[in-house]
Amino acid sequence: AQKITQTQPGMFVQEKEAVTLDCTYDTSDPSYGLFWYKQPSSGEMIFLIYQGSYDQQNATEGRYSLNFQKARKSANLVISASQLGDSAMYFCAMREGGSGGGADGLTFGKGTHLIIQP
Amino acid sequence: DTAVSQTPKYLVTQMGNDKSIKCEQNLGHDTMYWYKQDSKKFLKIMFSYNNKELIINETVPNRFSPKSPDKAHLNLHINSLELGDSAVYFCASSQAFPGTGVGNTIYFGEGSWLTVV
């Protein structure tokens, strides 16, 4: 079973609109971290935002916020006031505590290709 | 200054050759990783090292051998390259180990595009 599911392979959004990128995860570990990364066409992986499983509040970083619904195992990324430069692949990822304490790095979803239209 | 840097960025080579990708991080992190991104953009961990010790070795062919001379460097050597090895290889690092907190955020290099012909 997939641990990270991103159900939107691609999205087209008008500039200045808000965007929600979906991410659901699957884990039985009480300790985990959720991460979002952006990969523009140039290829680098850019860390955007983090949410810990014990965090009470949703994470925010500038125009990025994470809509964390723990009971639903959902960690959607919200981008407010989208810009042309937001066009990129977006990956949701999870790091579980487990017996290794997070030693096994990140598990990634398949990504969402976001295109912002003028 | 680039935090995680890897060289070369592009590499085109013939089947059967041996090649290396070098990685260096100047973040003072203890843990380094190699990830592979396939043609469908799927990212998967290959190896992780903590303080020069191998922690994870996923089901990667033994033609792939990581080497960590010190905790700031993690190189990837690939023997007898095959067509299926064509991918983007990302080096990455994180500060804390182990754990799932924000201190464990993994920072990636710019990627090395390997094409085997």
Side-chain angles (χ1 to χ4, degrees):
Chain A
Q2 285 187 52
K3 288 202 171 186
I4 298 286
T5 302
Q6 294 181 252
T7 57
Q8 305 151 311
M11 285 184 74
F12 289 87
V13 174
Q14 288 295 119
E15 191 179 8
K16 299 181 184 174
E17 288 184 352
V19 181
T20 297
L21 304 180
D22 295 341
C23 173
T24 56
Y25 58 92
D26 182 24
T27 181
S28 56
D29 201 315
S31 174
Y32 53 90
L34 297 160
F35 303 80
W36 277 91
Y37 289 85
K38 173 184 178 180
Q39 187 176 36
S41 57
S42 50
E44 69 269 31
M45 292 287 290
I46 303 167
F47 165 67
L48 295 177
I49 196 166
Y50 162 86
Q51 181 84 44
S53 58
Y54 297 116
D55 292 345
Q56 296 295 314
Q57 299 205 335
N58 287 342
T60 60
E61 288 286 348
R63 292 187 301 113
Y64 304 108
S65 60
L66 203 151
N67 184 359
F68 181 46
Q69 298 187 38
K70 194 170 181 177
R72 297 177 63 181
K73 294 187 175 178
S74 165
N76 297 341
L77 177 70
V78 179
I79 307 174
S80 63
S82 58
Q83 302 171 356
L84 296 178
D86 294 332
S87 295
M89 283 288 288
Y90 288 82
F91 293 95
C92 180
M94 176 173 64
R95 189 167 195 171
E96 298 168 276
S99 59
D104 51 353
L106 289 168
T107 301
F108 282 87
K110 293 186 176 180
T112 295
H113 189 190
L114 176 65
I115 297 174
I116 308 297
Q117 297 176 313
Chain B
D1 285 345
T2 304
V4 182
S5 58
Q6 44 184 119
T7 56
K9 184 161 184 175
Y10 299 101
L11 185 55
V12 180
T13 187
Q14 290 189 322
M15 281 173 51
N17 283 351
D18 303 339
K19 290 294 176 186
S20 292
I21 305 172
K22 295 186 176 181
C23 178
E24 175 182 6
Q25 54 96 2
N26 62 6
L27 297 168
H29 288 172
D30 285 343
T31 308
M32 295 186 73
Y33 311 82
W34 279 106
Y35 280 80
K36 179 180 179 180
Q37 186 174 40
D38 63 24
S39 58
K40 295 183 178 179
K41 300 286 191 180
F42 187 63
L43 278 146
K44 189 172 180 188
I45 191 167
M46 300 172 68
F47 303 101
S48 76
Y49 269 74
N50 183 58
N51 272 322
K52 302 193 297 175
E53 289 191 24
L54 179 65
I55 303 300
I56 301 166
N57 183 354
E58 289 293 312
T59 51
V60 175
N62 57 15
R63 297 182 295 103
F64 291 78
S65 53
K67 286 189 171 46
S68 182
D70 55 60
K71 74 175 191 178
H73 295 84
L74 181 62
N75 303 324
L76 183 65
H77 188 75
I78 314 170
N79 289 329
S80 303
L81 278 155
E82 300 177 357
L83 293 175
D85 297 332
S86 296
V88 183
Y89 293 86
F90 284 96
C91 178
S93 71
S94 64
Q95 179 181 28
F97 176 88
T100 59
V102 67
N104 300 96
T105 298
I106 295 179
Y107 294 92
F108 287 81
E110 295 184 337
S112 293
W113 271 252
L114 172 64
T115 302
V116 182
V117 297

